[in-house]
Amino acid sequence: MSGGDLDVTNARIVLPESGVVAGTLVIRDGRVSAILQDGGTSGDVDVLDAQDRYVLPGLIDPHVHSGLLPPQSFT
């Protein structure tokens, strides 16, 4: 098992084009490589049980206020 290999099981995976899918998010080398809709794990890797929570793959910060304040100059 190399670093960055993880299966996130029992997840509600949010996909913009499909909606919410129940299953396992498979991460290899730090990147999402597959979604297993039948659940379970993909092999000998670390497993994180999402406990039926929502998982938003690729989303880093869902709460951002870009452009809310005027730019500041630092002189």
Side-chain angles (χ1 to χ4, degrees), residues 1-9 13 24-36 42-48 55-58:
M1 171 175 40
S2 66
D5 291 350
L6 176 70
D7 284 354
V8 182
T9 62
I13 305 164
T24 298
L25 188 69
V26 178
I27 301 169
R28 294 294 174 269
D29 296 321
R31 295 179 180 250
V32 174
S33 66
I35 295 173
L36 306 176
S42 64
D44 185 28
V45 296
D46 291 331
V47 175
L48 175 67
V55 176
L56 290 79

Side-chain angles (χ1 to χ4, degrees), residues 35-73:
I35 295 173
L36 306 176
Q37 291 185 346
D38 59 357
T41 63
S42 64
D44 185 28
V45 296
D46 291 331
V47 175
L48 175 67
D49 185 353
Q51 300 177 351
D52 209 29
R53 293 185 178 108
Y54 290 95
V55 176
L56 290 79
L59 190 61
I60 304 225
D61 186 358
H63 188 164
V64 179
H65 295 279
S66 297
L68 181 65
L69 301 173
Q72 296 180 359
S73 64

